[in-house]
Amino acid sequence: MARKISNRRKIIMTVLAWSIGFLIFFPILWTIILSFKTEGDAIKTPLQVLSSHWTFESYALVQERSNYFRHFMNSVIISFGSVILALVIGIPSAWAMAFVPGKGTKNVLMWMLSTKMMPAVGVLIPIYLMFRDWGLLDTRTGLIIVLCLMNLPIVIWMLYTYFKEIPSEILEAARMDGAGLRSEILYVLTPMAVPGIASTLLLNVILSWNEAFWTLNLTAAKAAPLTAFIAAYSSPEGLFYAKLSAASTLAIAPILILGWFSQKQLVRGLTFGAVK
Amino acid sequence: MSTHASRAAARLMISPSVILLFLWMAVPLGMTLWFSFQRYNLLMPGQTGFVGFQNYEYFLTDPAFFTALWNTLFLVGGVLLITIIGGMLLALLLDQAIFGQGIVRVLVIAPFFVMPTVSALVWKNFFFNPVSGIFAYIANFFGFPAYDFLAQAPLLSITLIVAWQWLPFATLILLTALQSLDSEQLEAAEMDGASIFSRFIYIMVPHLSRAATVVILIQTIFLLSTFAEILVTTNGGPGNASTTLTYLVYVQSLLQFDVGGGAAGGIVAVILANIVAIFLMRMIGKNLET
């Protein structure tokens, strides 16, 4: 028997849900609004802010004064670089564990996960000193290495759960049809693995983009990605609301868009398969 | 069936990540452990040497440690309380039949994708600021004096910011769990005359408790490392009022250059995090078998 949902109830629930959704989203919305105002208008009362005129001025100023684009590119290079490196290392491992599982596979997986549980402060000093001695402080290379290792356990876990879902019967069928190992990997497995690899890439790029412990502690002016660049607004001089908003909007917009595509992967990637 | 050769190939494929992760974990952790027993201050390069448990003694008897420990518990506990209760209510709401469900979902999830430095500065300046913040404006509008959130209640303010960031995560996972609930079971209970309340208590809560445990454990791991939000809002102050364990270790190692003391603090943080991690690992491990 289908349950009958009264229209009134549906409307009440809709109004309630939209109101709460709006409130939760409001800080982001307000940041976007302020980014299109002048500094003088941005500190006025909310109603005055809304009725003042709209401008792209702050975006131009942010780029002009601090070479915003460079920090943006740092973020892009560091987040994609670290995840691609992690995929190169992680795909063979996850592949082997999913398709040729041995007795120790489960233990290896759990051990990899346990490295993720280590709080970053526990290794802050050694990493900092090593980076100092090796000249890796404030370099993109240094951050790519650290973020790659930080995300490697999640990358391998996600890939493993995706690869596990590829039915092994398909492999057997391909083998029966006379496919060699090369064509098996190229024409049968790869097309089935691509969506899983893409999802893994997506979620981990988001995590790296927003990472704010190592990026803040290991960079200064040169290699600073957006997380560190925006942290500099914590002690600014003069009026800065509109500029902070413009810098923030540009920093979160790409990830918000990627994030909308990755809702499902988020649950899967961050719960390590414990919630499906 | 895997042959001997393919087993060997598999080992070869797994070893790079195992070796790298081992180096990444064991070497720095070993160094931290080593430093924690040394007198080692970057400002006093000559005076180094083995000091036994002295660093631990100083760290654990420092009044700042107890403040930091309490602050850490407050932050983690507060965020968990808000996100679990709020997330549960939001998940129940989003599970209802509503118009534009997809859009509401997107609005609710959005804060999770905002980088920590941005969300902290947005809250600090646009909302908490006692002169030009929106909360001050609302207070003045109703005739109340403005409240200086970050000066008068720094820890609570940071807790609110972090809770805003993690509410989407809790909601999303609880919603996923809720949607995997067998609706026939609920309908059967309804037909048998169970009220909404008892349906919630006897069917939904047991089903959701597992997902809620996962949320609690994973969030705890991440929340213990909260750093950027404190750095850009209060710098741990006023005084030590919003210094957590993570932040205290950072101050000691990179601001006071006391490598030995900071290392001891780092080891304490690792031990605390591991207590939580053991429970989480056990839950995930159980799931792996099925």
Side-chain angles (χ1 to χ4, degrees):
Chain A
M1 191 180 84
R3 277 211 292 173
K4 217 174 138 194
I5 299 154
S6 72
N7 253 339
R8 221 184 103 195
R9 185 188 144 104
K10 190 168 173 176
I11 289 168
I12 292 172
M13 286 298 172
T14 302
V15 171
L16 189 64
W18 275 86
S19 313
I20 293 175
F22 176 78
L23 279 181
I24 291 176
F25 189 73
F26 183 73
I28 300 172
L29 181 67
W30 194 245
T31 308
I32 298 171
I33 290 173
L34 287 184
S35 74
F36 292 109
K37 300 294 177 181
T38 61
E39 289 296 356
D41 288 337
I43 51 161
K44 290 183 176 158
T45 63
L47 286 178
Q48 287 172 323
V49 167
L50 286 176
S51 57
S52 62
H53 84 280
W54 302 77
T55 169
F56 279 99
E57 183 188 288
S58 305
Y59 287 93
L61 279 176
V62 163
Q63 166 59 22
E64 202 178 289
R65 290 201 189 161
S66 51
N67 198 0
Y68 183 89
F69 186 69
R70 189 171 110 165
H71 300 290
F72 188 88
M73 281 320 287
N74 281 344
S75 270
V76 172
I77 292 168
I78 290 167
S79 54
F80 278 89
S82 65
V83 177
I84 289 170
L85 187 61
L87 282 174
V88 170
I89 303 166
I91 288 175
S93 307
W95 192 280
M97 287 193 277
F99 293 116
V100 199
K103 262 181 276 162
T105 301
K106 193 193 150 188
N107 289 334
V108 173
L109 271 171
M110 293 308 285
W111 171 78
M112 284 179 171
L113 190 57
S114 74
T115 66
K116 186 74 199 149
M117 312 283 168
M118 180 181 65
V121 278
V123 294
L124 173 63
I125 295 167
I127 298 287
Y128 186 86
L129 294 178
M130 280 193 255
F131 268 47
R132 187 196 61 181
D133 295 344
W134 297 342
L136 284 172
L137 278 180
D138 202 17
T139 62
R140 293 192 286 227
T141 316
L143 271 187
I144 287 176
I145 295 170
V146 165
L147 293 190
C148 163
L149 289 167
M150 247 194 69
N151 284 333
L152 191 58
I154 298 188
V155 165
I156 293 176
W157 261 85
M158 282 184 77
L159 289 171
Y160 172 79
T161 57
Y162 282 114
F163 290 166
K164 259 288 191 228
E165 279 169 15
I166 298 176
S168 55
E169 289 84 5
I170 286 197
L171 291 184
E172 277 159 33
R175 244 168 259 168
M176 298 269 239
D177 290 347
L181 185 67
R182 213 179 81 91
S183 51
E184 189 182 301
I185 289 176
L186 217 57
Y187 301 112
V188 184
L189 286 177
T190 309
M192 299 188 75
V194 165
I197 294 173
S199 311
T200 308
L201 177 82
L202 191 62
L203 180 69
N204 284 283
V205 164
I206 293 174
L207 292 179
S208 305
W209 185 278
N210 290 340
E211 203 283 331
F213 182 82
W214 294 113
T215 51
L216 286 173
N217 279 314
L218 298 179
T219 64
K222 221 159 33 90
L226 291 168
T227 43
F229 169 72
I230 283 169
Y233 280 95
S234 61
S235 51
E237 282 159 19
L239 291 175
F240 65 100
Y241 276 23
K243 284 191 280 290
L244 167 63
S245 299
S248 300
T249 303
L250 286 176
I252 62 178
I255 290 306
L256 274 179
I257 294 165
L258 287 184
W260 290 338
F261 295 110
S262 71
Q263 296 175 30
K264 279 266 149 58
Q265 287 82 310
L266 186 80
V267 175
R268 186 176 187 143
L270 287 181
T271 61
F272 307 102
V275 172
K276 277 176 194 143
Chain B
M1 287 299 103
S2 52
T3 61
H4 192 73
S6 69
R7 187 54 55 74
R11 240 177 243 135
L12 203 67
M13 285 159 89
I14 298 168
S15 48
S17 25
V18 170
I19 292 167
L20 282 172
L21 280 175
F22 180 76
L23 289 177
W24 162 244
M25 190 170 79
V27 174
L29 205 56
M31 281 170 77
T32 305
L33 201 60
W34 168 253
F35 289 146
S36 73
F37 292 110
Q38 303 285 317
R39 176 182 299 128
Y40 185 8
N41 192 314
L42 293 179
L43 296 178
M44 297 178 273
Q47 305 167 22
T48 52
F50 186 77
V51 289
F53 282 94
Q54 209 181 68
N55 286 325
Y56 289 93
E57 232 178 282
Y58 282 141
F59 190 82
L60 294 173
T61 53
D62 185 355
F65 167 70
F66 289 99
T67 315
L69 190 63
W70 160 249
N71 287 348
T72 309
L73 290 177
F74 183 93
L75 178 73
V76 173
V79 173
L80 286 178
L81 199 69
I82 298 171
T83 53
I84 292 289
I85 294 175
M88 191 83 87
L89 294 173
L90 266 172
L92 285 171
L93 184 62
L94 289 176
D95 196 36
Q96 307 286 322
I98 51 173
F99 297 106
Q101 198 176 34
I103 300 171
V104 178
R105 219 173 124 126
V106 165
L107 293 180
V108 170
I109 291 166
F112 190 78
F113 300 113
V114 177
M115 55 177 65
T117 43
V118 166
S119 53
L121 285 176
V122 162
W123 280 95
K124 177 190 179 182
N125 293 301
F126 307 159
F127 291 87
F128 290 154
N129 188 300
V131 179
S132 48
I134 287 182
F135 289 159
Y137 172 75
I138 294 173
N140 290 333
F141 185 81
F142 289 105
F144 293 105
Y147 185 71
D148 192 350
F149 282 87
L150 285 166
Q152 285 171 287
L155 194 57
L156 182 68
S157 306
I158 292 172
T159 305
L160 290 177
I161 297 172
V162 180
W164 178 73
Q165 291 177 290
W166 283 96
L167 183 62
F169 178 74
T171 306
L172 203 56
I173 287 178
L174 291 168
L175 183 63
T176 309
L178 205 57
Q179 283 169 344
S180 70
L181 184 62
D182 189 3
S183 66
E184 277 177 21
Q185 209 182 357
L186 278 178
E187 276 167 34
E190 198 180 353
M191 297 238 267
D192 289 344
S195 67
I196 296 184
F197 183 71
S198 52
R199 265 180 284 156
F200 180 71
I201 291 291
Y202 294 110
I203 299 178
M204 286 182 179
V205 169
H207 184 76
L208 288 182
S209 64
R210 191 190 142 74
T213 316
V214 173
V215 172
I216 290 172
L217 293 170
I218 290 172
Q219 281 198 20
T220 306
I221 299 279
F222 280 95
L223 293 175
L224 283 174
S225 300
T226 303
F227 173 75
E229 292 86 344
I230 302 171
L231 181 78
V232 301
T233 52
T234 63
N235 264 312
N240 278 330
S242 56
T243 297
T244 61
L245 210 51
T246 297
Y247 201 78
L248 185 66
V249 175
Y250 156 77
V251 169
Q252 214 153 38
S253 353
L254 294 193
L255 298 187
Q256 297 171 356
F257 303 106
D258 178 5
V259 172
I267 295 296
V268 172
V270 169
I271 292 169
L272 288 179
N274 274 340
I275 296 171
V276 181
I278 288 168
F279 287 101
L280 177 60
M281 300 284 287
R282 216 174 263 170
M283 276 198 75
I284 294 170
K286 246 181 226 158
N287 207 60
L288 205 61
E289 270 149 24
T290 53

